[in-house]
C-alpha cells in the first residue's frame, strides 16, 4: 500500500540525514585534537572536506531510493510523495536537529523531481517543526558569577572549562591580561549587580589556527558579548591572544568573508539562538552558515527573501557600478544582497568558460577566505515575480543571460545564480572619498591583496571595481573569474627595452605566457589618481615588486601557514606584559 511505501521512503531519507550529521559531527569534534596538535594542514583539509559532506550524502540517498523503490519518473505521484512528507514529519520531533533534517529532505526531493514541484505540498518551503524548545532541553552554556567567586578564579575556570588538553604556557599572565582588558572595556558607569553573570558557550569555536570562547556578560538588563581568542604556538603551548567585546568586533569574527567555524553541538538551533542577540544585525541564515551549516543557512535565507518580497514593493534593478564582462548583477534597493548570473557569452579579452567561472566560485567556497573574499549562496531554478523587474534589468537579462532564464506565466525562473552580501564598489567609494577615507580604503585594499596572497590566492584582476567596501569599512574581493592559486603564477620583471623609443610605444616589447604576471604593470592601470598613487606607494609599494610575490610563493611551498587575524592587530595582547599592575597577578584559590 502507498502509506507503507511512503513510510519506508521517509525512513531511508532520514537515515541519510542521520548518517550525514553523524559524519559532520565526527569531523567537527576532531577540530579540538587538530588544534591541540597544531596540525594546520589537517585543519585546512578538514575544512574543505566537511563542505562536501552534505552533497555526498544527498547523492547516496538519492541513489538508494532509485534502486530500492525504482524511482524513474521526473513527476512524483501526488498521493505517494505528499504522504512521504507527512510520514517524514512524524519522525522529526525526536531529533535535536529537525530544521536540518527538513532541509536534507528538500535536497533529496529536488534531486529527484522537476522544479515545478518545489512547493509546500511536497517540500518544506516553510518549516513545520519548531526548534525553540531545544535551548532549554540541551544545555549549551555555563554560567559564572565573578562578583561571588572572584574575577581571577572565574577567568581561570572559563579557560579550563574550554576543555583543551594542552597547557597554557603562562596561565597567570593570560588571566592578568584578561583582567586588565575587562577593566578597560566593560562598562564602568554602572555598578555590577550581585547576580552579575558571565554566560559562556560550553564548546569552543575552532577555525584556522585559533580557538574562540564565546560568551556574554549579563548585568541586570544590560548584556555585552565577548570573545576570548586562544592561540597555540605549537611549541610552548596555549596563550590568550585577545579579548573582543561588543557587536561590531564579534560580527567581524563571524564575517561572511571568513571560513566556517567548527563547533561540535547536538542542537545547532540552540547555539544560533544564543548567538543571535549578540549580533542582532545578522540573521539566522548567516549564523547557521558561519558555524558550517551552510545548506540550512541557504534554505533559511530563501525563506527570509520570500518574506521580504511579500512585504516590499521596490523593483529589482541593475546593480550600481561598472558592469562586468562575466556576470550580470542586479539588486533590490531595500534588500542588502546582490544577485549574480553568469552571462551566456564573454567578450574579449575574457577567455574563461562558464564551467571555469563556476569552478572558481566553488574554490572560494572551499578555501579559507581570510576575511577578504565574499561567500556566496548558490541556487538553481529560483522563481522571481516578473512584475518586480525593472524594464532595464529585464532587457539586460534577456540580451545577456537568455540561456539562464525562463518565463513561466508571471514568473521569471533563473536557472543558476549566486547571491552575495551587498557592498559599496571600491571604485565608487574612492570617487566620493575625502583624503582620510582614501588613505583608509587604500590601506585596506593593499592589506586585502597581501592577506589573500598569504592564503595562496591571486585575484587576477586588481581593478578597484572588483573589490567592495563593507559596512565596517573593510575591503573585500568579490570578482572571481580570473582568480587562481598564487603558486600557479610566474612573477616576472619587465625586461629592459632594446631601444629607448620602444618604451613609448603602445605595444609591449616583451612577450607574456599564460601564467606570467608583471607586478610593475599594476602601477600603470591602478595608480592614475595622484591621491591614490601617493598613499599606495607609501603603504604597499612592495606589491609592485616581483621578488615580494616570489617570496610569498616560497613561504607557501615550504608549508608555512601565515597568521591572519579576524581582529585588529592593536587588539592583540602584548607579548611583554611586565607593565600590568601587580594587583592583577594573584590567582585566587
Amino acid at each position: 500500500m502507498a502509506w507503507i511505501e511512503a513510510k519506508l521512503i521517509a525512513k531511508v531519507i532520514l537515515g541519510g540525514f542521520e548518517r550525514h550529521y553523524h559524519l559532520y559531527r565526527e569531523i567537527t569534534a576532531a577540530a579540538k585534537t587538530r588544534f591541540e596538535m597544531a596540525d594546520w594542514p589537517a585543519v585546512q583539509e578538514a575544512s574543505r572536506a566537511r563542505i562536501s559532506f552534505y552533497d555526498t550524502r544527498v547523492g547516496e540517498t538519492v541513489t538508494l531510493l532509485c534502486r530500492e523503490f525504482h524511482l524513474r519518473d521526473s513527476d512524483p505521484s501526488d498521493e505517494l510523495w505528499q504522504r512521504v512528507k507527512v510520514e517524514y514529519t512524524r519522525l522529526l520531533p525526536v531529533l535535536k536537529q529537525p530544521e536540518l533534517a527538513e532541509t536534507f529532505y528538500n535536497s533529496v526531493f529536488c534531486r529527484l523531481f522537476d522544479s515545478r514541484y518545489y512547493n509546500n505540498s511536497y517540500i518544506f518551503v516553510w518549516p513545520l517543526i519548531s526548534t525553540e524548545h531545544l535551548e532549554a532541553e540541551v544545555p549549551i552554556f555555563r554560567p559564572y558569577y565573578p562578583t561571588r567567586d572572584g574575577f581571577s578564579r572565574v577567568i581561570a575556570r572559563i579557560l579550563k572549562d574550554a576543555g583543551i588538553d594542552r597547557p597554557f604556557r603562562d596561565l597567570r599572565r593570560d588571566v592578568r591580561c584578561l583582567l586588565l582588558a575587562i577593566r578597560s572595556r566593560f562598562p564602568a558607569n554602572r555598578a555590577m549587580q550581585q547576580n552579575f553573570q558571565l554566560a559562556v558557550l560550553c564548546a569552543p569555536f575552532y577555525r584556522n589556527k585559533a580557538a574562540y570562547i564565546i560568551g556574554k556578560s549579563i548585568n541586570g538588563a544590560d548584556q555585552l558579548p565577548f570573545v576570548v581568542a586562544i592561540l597555540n604556538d605549537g611549541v610552548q603551548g596555549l596563550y590568550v591572544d585577545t579579548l573582543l567585546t561588543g557587536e561590531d568586533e564579534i560580527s567581524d569574527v563571524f564575517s561572511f568573508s571568513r571560513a566556517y567555524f567548527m563547533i561540535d553541538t547536538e542542537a545547532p538551533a540552540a547555539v544560533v539562538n544564543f548567538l543571535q542577540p549578540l549580533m542582532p544585525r545578522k540573521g539566522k541564515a548567516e549564523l547557521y552558515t558561519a558555524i558550517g551549516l551552510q545548506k540550512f543557512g541557504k534554505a533559511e535565507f530563501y525563506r527570509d527573501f520570500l518574506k521580504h518580497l511579500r512585504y516590499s514593493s521596490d523593483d529589482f534593478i541593475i546593480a550600481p557600478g561598472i558592469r562586468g564582462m562575466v556576470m550580470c548583477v542586479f539588486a533590490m534597493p531595500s534588500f542588502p544582497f546582490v544577485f549574480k548570473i553568469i552571462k551566456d557569452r564573454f567578450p574579449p579579452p575574457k577567455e574563461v568558460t562558464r564551467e571555469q567561472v563556476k569552478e572558481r566560485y566553488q574554490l572560494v567556497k572551499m578555501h579559507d577566505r581570510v576575511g577578504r573574499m565574499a561567500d556566496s549562496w548558490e541556487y538553481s531554478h529560483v522563481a522571481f515575480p516578473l512584475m518586480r523587474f525593472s524594464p532595464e534589468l529585464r532587457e539586460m537579462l534577456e540580451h545577456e543571460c537568455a540561456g539562464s532564464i525562463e518565463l513561466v506565466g508571471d514568473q521569471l525562473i533563473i536557472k543558476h545564480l549566486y547571491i552575495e552580501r551587498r557592498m559599496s564598489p571600491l571604485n565608487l567609494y574612492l570617487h566620493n572619498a575625502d583624503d582620510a577615507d582614501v588613505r583608509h580604503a587604500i590601506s585596506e585594499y593593499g592589506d586585502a591583496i597581501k592577506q589573500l596572497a598569504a592564503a595562496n590566492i591571486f585575484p587576477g584582476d586588481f581593478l578597484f571595481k572588483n573589490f567592495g567596501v563593507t559596512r565596517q569599512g573593510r575591503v573585500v574581493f568579490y570578482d572571481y573569474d580570473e582568480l587562481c592559486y598564487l603558486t600557479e603564477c610566474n612573477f616576472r620583471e619587465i625586461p629592459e627595452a632594446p631601444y629607448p623609443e620602444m618604451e613609448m610605444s603602445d605595444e609591449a616589447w616583451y612577450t607574456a605566457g599564460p601564467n606570467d604576471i608583471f607586478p610593475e604593470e599594476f602601477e600603470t592601470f591602478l595608480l592614475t589618481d595622484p591621491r591614490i598613487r601617493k598613499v599606495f606607494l607609501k603603504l604597499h609599494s612592495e606589491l609592485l615588486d616581483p621578488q615580494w610575490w616570489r617570496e610569498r610563493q616560497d613561504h607557501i611551498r615550504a608549508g608555512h601557514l601565515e597568521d591572519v587575524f579576524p581582529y585588529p592587530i592593536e587588539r592583540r595582547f602584548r607579548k611583554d606584559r611586565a607593565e600590568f599592575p601587580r594587583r592583577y597577578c594573584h590567582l585566587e584559590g
Side-chain angles (χ1 to χ4, degrees):
M1 295 180 62
W3 69 269
I4 296 177
E5 186 177 18
K7 186 174 290 189
L8 293 173
I9 290 174
K11 287 183 177 180
V12 168
I13 298 174
L14 186 64
F17 168 73
E18 289 178 328
R19 172 169 166 74
H20 159 67
Y21 201 68
H22 170 76
L23 294 173
Y24 173 91
R25 287 195 67 186
E26 190 175 72
I27 194 172
T28 300
K32 173 179 174 290
T33 301
R34 292 188 289 269
F35 176 73
E36 291 167 349
M37 298 178 63
D39 190 349
W40 312 134
V43 167
Q44 293 183 313
E45 178 58 34
S47 295
R48 288 190 293 268
R50 191 179 67 163
I51 291 171
S52 64
F53 276 20
Y54 185 91
D55 287 333
T56 301
R57 300 292 89 74
V58 169
E60 291 173 353
T61 305
V62 168
T63 299
L64 181 59
L65 288 172
C66 290
R67 184 177 70 241
E68 297 297 325
F69 298 96
H70 308 291
L71 302 177
R72 295 290 182 267
D73 297 333
S74 60
D75 297 334
S77 162
D78 286 356
E79 179 183 355
L80 174 62
W81 279 92
Q82 289 180 13
R83 185 74 188 183
V84 170
K85 183 183 175 185
V86 171
E87 295 297 336
Y88 191 81
T89 303
R90 290 176 175 170
L91 300 173
L92 298 181
V94 298
L95 298 181
K96 296 296 190 291
Q97 318 85 27
E99 76 282 25
L100 307 186
E102 289 179 345
T103 300
F104 190 88
Y105 179 94
N106 290 350
S107 298
V108 170
F109 184 93
C110 293
R111 287 271 189 101
L112 287 166
F113 302 115
D114 189 85
S115 61
R116 65 182 181 272
Y117 297 100
Y118 300 174
N119 58 66
N120 215 49
S121 296
Y122 295 95
I123 63 174
F124 298 93
V125 175
W126 302 104
L128 286 182
I129 305 298
S130 172
T131 59
E132 297 302 317
H133 64 288
L134 293 174
E135 190 168 5
E137 290 184 3
V138 182
I140 59 160
F141 69 88
R142 298 186 183 96
Y144 300 87
Y145 296 91
T147 54
R148 184 189 69 191
D149 300 330
F151 261 101
S152 294
R153 186 182 292 112
V154 162
I155 291 172
R157 192 182 305 149
I158 289 173
L159 296 178
K160 180 181 178 181
D161 288 347
I164 303 172
D165 296 327
R166 188 177 175 92
F168 284 81
R169 64 190 191 192
D170 192 338
L171 183 60
R172 291 177 179 270
R173 187 172 62 179
D174 289 332
V175 172
R176 191 165 71 242
C177 288
L178 286 170
L179 281 170
L180 187 64
I182 288 170
R183 184 184 179 206
S184 64
R185 308 210 61 197
F186 276 46
N189 59 339
R190 296 191 181 205
M192 290 185 180
Q193 298 187 7
Q194 189 168 0
N195 64 344
F196 176 81
Q197 179 187 124
L198 300 179
V200 179
L201 285 170
C202 296
F205 287 53
Y206 295 94
R207 186 175 63 197
N208 295 342
K209 298 169 72 174
Y212 300 90
I213 296 173
I214 314 290
K216 60 183 176 182
S217 69
I218 305 171
N219 190 33
D222 297 331
Q223 296 191 12
L224 180 71
F226 66 85
V227 169
V228 176
I230 301 174
L231 303 185
N232 180 4
D233 65 9
V235 180
Q236 294 179 291
L238 309 180
Y239 62 96
V240 175
D241 195 54
T242 192
L243 172 73
L244 305 174
T245 58
E247 178 189 349
D248 287 343
E249 291 189 352
I250 308 306
S251 293
D252 281 347
V253 175
F254 282 81
S255 169
F256 63 87
S257 58
R258 300 193 186 279
Y260 309 137
F261 282 108
M262 297 238 174
I263 173 174
D264 182 33
T265 175
E266 184 182 17
V271 173
V272 169
N273 288 341
F274 182 94
L275 292 173
Q276 195 164 27
L278 310 187
M279 296 169 280
R281 282 179 286 194
K282 287 189 180 292
K284 285 189 175 182
E286 292 178 272
L287 294 175
Y288 270 98
T289 299
I291 63 173
L293 297 166
Q294 68 273 15
K295 293 295 184 179
F296 180 77
K298 174 180 166 181
E300 190 68 12
F301 173 86
Y302 186 66
R303 289 164 181 153
D304 291 341
F305 172 61
L306 292 177
K307 292 175 187 175
H308 187 86
L309 277 177
R310 181 179 300 169
Y311 295 108
S312 63
S313 59
D314 52 331
D315 286 343
F316 294 102
I317 60 173
I318 299 172
I322 299 173
R323 294 192 190 181
M325 302 173 72
V326 171
M327 292 283 194
C328 284
V329 185
F330 64 95
M332 179 186 288
S334 64
F335 196 59
F337 293 85
V338 295
F339 305 81
K340 304 170 72 170
I341 310 175
I342 303 174
K343 293 183 178 181
D344 293 340
R345 294 169 297 279
F346 312 142
K350 292 291 183 182
E351 296 180 351
V352 296
T353 66
R354 181 183 185 88
E355 287 307 311
Q356 287 174 327
V357 173
K358 293 170 71 173
E359 288 171 3
R360 285 165 186 173
Y361 270 80
Q362 183 64 13
L363 186 156
V364 172
K365 173 71 70 176
M366 305 287 284
H367 203 78
D368 178 15
R369 293 182 291 282
V370 294
R372 298 300 185 176
M373 291 190 290
D375 193 15
S376 303
W377 282 306
E378 185 177 5
Y379 290 86
S380 300
H381 300 287
V382 181
F384 292 81
L386 182 61
M387 63 178 294
R388 299 286 290 274
F389 282 73
S390 70
E392 298 80 10
L393 173 58
R394 182 171 172 180
E395 180 183 357
M396 180 183 77
L397 296 181
E398 290 175 345
H399 177 66
E400 300 187 17
C401 305
S404 294
I405 64 173
E406 180 182 359
L407 297 180
V408 179
D410 60 354
Q411 293 185 325
L412 186 147
I413 310 296
I414 298 181
K415 300 175 184 177
H416 183 259
L417 82 160
Y418 298 96
I419 302 177
E420 293 175 2
R421 171 68 70 169
R422 188 170 65 202
M423 293 174 272
S424 300
L426 180 58
N427 60 311
L428 299 184
Y429 181 92
L430 290 169
H431 181 74
N432 299 311
D434 59 23
D435 289 347
D437 288 338
V438 166
R439 180 179 177 82
H440 171 79
I442 294 303
S443 174
E444 275 283 306
Y445 168 77
D447 287 345
I449 293 171
K450 292 173 182 176
Q451 290 169 7
L452 288 172
N456 196 22
I457 291 293
F458 185 72
D461 191 340
F462 281 21
L463 291 177
F464 298 135
K465 70 181 182 67
N466 298 324
F467 293 77
V469 183
T470 69
R471 179 178 56 84
Q472 294 90 355
R474 190 171 184 82
V475 171
V476 173
F477 181 57
Y478 55 53
D479 194 322
Y480 307 140
D481 56 89
E482 293 189 21
L483 173 148
C484 65
Y485 290 115
L486 187 76
T487 48
E488 294 176 351
C489 300
N490 181 31
F491 293 98
R492 295 175 52 192
E493 286 84 359
I494 296 177
E496 186 176 347
Y499 307 102
E501 57 269 21
M502 295 184 73
E503 294 185 0
M504 308 300 294
S505 172
D506 292 336
E507 299 293 329
W509 62 89
Y510 50 91
T511 59
N515 296 324
D516 286 350
I517 306 293
F518 299 89
E520 295 159 274
E521 293 180 338
F522 301 162
E523 185 173 359
T524 303
F525 60 82
L526 284 177
L527 308 183
T528 56
D529 184 321
R531 294 190 306 164
I532 294 173
R533 177 185 177 83
K534 180 180 178 180
V535 174
F536 185 93
L537 292 179
K538 182 176 181 179
L539 300 178
H540 303 300
S541 60
E542 62 269 36
L543 294 177
L544 307 178
D545 180 5
Q547 183 58 30
W548 184 89
W549 291 96
R550 290 194 289 263
E551 289 173 358
R552 303 284 78 71
Q553 291 177 314
D554 291 342
H555 277 229
I556 294 166
R557 289 173 180 139
H560 178 68
L561 182 62
E562 294 191 32
D563 294 313
V564 180
F565 302 101
Y567 42 83
I569 299 301
E570 299 76 25
R571 280 284 178 236
R572 301 189 66 200
F573 295 152
R574 289 181 55 184
K575 295 293 185 293
D576 175 16
R577 292 155 179 173
E579 74 279 9
F580 291 122
R582 294 298 304 171
R583 65 179 176 274
Y584 291 116
C585 296
H586 177 59
L587 278 181
E588 302 167 31

